[in-house]
Amino acid sequence: MDLWTHPRLTAAVASQDWAVLLRTYRRLTGISQTKLGGLVGLVQPDVSDIERGRRRVTSVEVRQRIVSGLGIPPALLATVGERAVPPPVTGLALTGIAPDADLLARVTNAVGGAERVDTATLDWLDRLLAEHRRAEDVIGSRPLTDVMRQQLRTVVDLHSGARGELADRVVRLAAEHAQFLAWMAQDQADSAAALAWYDRAHVWALEAGDAGMAATTLSMKAHMAWSGGLGTRCVRLAEAARWSVPGTSLGVRGMAAQMEARGHALNGDADESHRLLDEAQTLIGQAAERPEDEPPWMYFYDETWFALQRGMAEMHLGSWSVAIGHLTGGLAALPDDYRRDKAWYRACLAHAAAGAGEAEQALTVALQAVPDAAAVGRPHAWNELHTTAAALLRHRAPEGRHLVAALKAHD
């Protein structure tokens, strides 16, 4: 497989995101920062600073050294030259599924012209949100995005007609909708929109006095950092979810602990990662004894889910066989209609098998994941399958070519 057909690399070239480009290139090729620096004429600390966002690549000379040293194809660069690089996104002036100008004004100021609201209306909206969350597990986020945006408009319009405790409950419900929209934006790889919605959800949660949601938004921002390969940021956000919002449930605390563990795993700190994973496992066991104490959005947090998270942490630590055990067990217990999650964790399992040198197993599992990854698992599961193919080819396993052919057939 041509390395430069990988979706993350092509996207990084198109946006001239040098940090993502260097991190992804190293992940796919398995080389160190020192070796990559030798290819592009940079010392290891400079490579590290670029990857972590501490240093921006602004010099034409440095860009050219990266292009030449890594062998970026001219065809990819030609498409970049035909359009201006988009300006950095700041604040809430975002695209995708982020708030548009009208919605932003309304959700920020919580104004509208609704009739007086009552408990029965809010109970119905609570149930409707819960049903949409479960539907998203099955069909993915894209079919629900517009629906949830309109539903949030409805909730915000209720605020002007609410009084006392009902007004607080409307704000809490708005926070839950914003958090769900953030998750769907993240699922669609729209990071800027996801951060905007998480920030809005966090502020509303604090306004409503909802400690569980306030902590959850920090944990989910930690998850975003983990997805971007930023281990230290993941750790710090997860720590904030634990100590800055007291009074959360056992499950919410367990989620923060496992997110912190995954950040340490990303940084290669096995001892701290395992300590926090053990702590999270204890918390999830205790939470399972009193499910009524958990907030409604924590419905998925159970031993099956935790086993899958633990498997991903072990992948970062290079404990491939241990990861395979956790991922296999978790997948066996995951409901069959969770197509998107099945695709993602199968892709992770295929990657772990490739890392363990089990090429045949890697191909078998990857081929099981391909249809759902193509249909409801883009971009995350799809990218992970490309990473698996690269790992197989790096080890000169013929199964890599078979997986590449299967991926091309679904492109």
Side-chain angles (χ1 to χ4, degrees), residues 75-393:
L76 286 182
L77 296 169
T79 62
V80 175
E82 293 169 359
R83 60 183 181 274
V85 179
V89 179
T90 58
L92 290 178
L94 305 174
T95 57
I97 66 169
D100 55 42
D102 174 61
L103 178 57
L104 176 58
R106 296 164 76 185
V107 299
T108 303
N109 299 306
V111 297
E115 300 291 333
R116 289 183 63 86
V117 65
D118 56 22
T119 300
T121 300
L122 297 182
D123 286 344
W124 181 82
L125 286 169
D126 274 332
R127 291 195 300 272
L128 188 61
L129 176 58
E131 290 301 320
H132 280 131
R133 287 187 184 277
R134 285 161 176 77
E136 194 264 346
D137 289 331
V138 177
I139 65 176
S141 61
R142 293 187 184 279
L144 291 172
T145 297
D146 289 340
V147 173
M148 297 313 302
R149 281 170 58 86
Q150 185 56 48
Q151 195 165 306
L152 175 58
R153 290 178 186 271
T154 300
V155 172
V156 170
D157 280 342
L158 292 175
H159 187 266
S160 63
R163 301 291 182 271
E165 292 183 0
L166 288 181
D168 288 340
R169 187 173 170 189
V170 170
V171 177
R172 175 193 60 75
L173 188 58
E176 291 188 32
H177 279 74
Q179 183 267 337
F180 188 33
L181 279 165
W183 163 252
M184 291 195 291
Q186 184 177 345
D187 181 58
Q188 296 170 38
D190 192 344
S191 297
L195 285 172
W197 281 120
Y198 279 135
D199 286 343
R200 175 49 50 192
H202 186 75
V203 170
W204 273 335
L206 293 177
E207 181 182 342
D210 191 336
M213 177 53 71
T216 297
T217 56
L218 291 172
S219 288
M220 296 309 295
K221 288 176 76 172
H223 175 69
M224 286 190 66
W226 170 84
S227 298
L230 303 174
T232 300
R233 178 175 171 81
C234 175
V235 167
R236 289 175 179 171
L237 285 166
E239 286 176 338
R242 303 182 73 193
W243 57 256
S244 69
V245 192
T248 55
S249 69
L250 291 168
V252 170
R253 285 155 52 195
M255 174 189 282
Q258 66 84 23
M259 277 312 318
E260 187 179 347
R262 283 163 60 187
H264 283 296
L266 199 58
N267 287 341
D269 188 343
D271 290 341
E272 191 64 7
S273 179
H274 288 148
R275 181 186 71 78
L276 286 161
L277 286 169
D278 290 342
E279 179 182 338
Q281 190 159 16
T282 298
L283 288 167
I284 188 177
Q286 294 172 345
E289 296 173 2
R290 296 186 60 84
E292 67 276 10
D293 292 341
E294 296 302 316
W297 62 85
M298 293 294 291
Y299 67 93
F300 64 90
Y301 193 98
D302 57 17
E303 292 184 359
T304 295
W305 178 83
F306 181 76
L308 293 164
Q309 307 307 302
R310 190 154 202 160
M312 289 194 296
E314 296 294 350
M315 286 177 64
H316 287 305
L317 295 170
S319 301
W320 303 113
S321 297
V322 178
I324 288 172
H326 288 302
L327 291 168
T328 300
L331 274 164
L334 204 62
D336 288 337
D337 56 357
Y338 279 32
R339 294 179 63 198
R340 194 233 1 254
D341 288 350
K342 283 274 191 181
W344 165 247
Y345 291 115
R346 277 176 175 154
C348 290
L349 177 56
H351 186 180
E358 299 293 340
E360 186 175 345
Q361 180 188 6
L363 177 62
T364 299
V365 175
L367 291 179
Q368 292 174 344
V370 165
D372 284 342
V376 297
R378 294 176 187 261
H380 302 293
W382 196 248
N383 288 347
E384 192 70 8
L385 289 172
H386 276 274
T387 299
T388 300
L392 290 169
L393 291 173

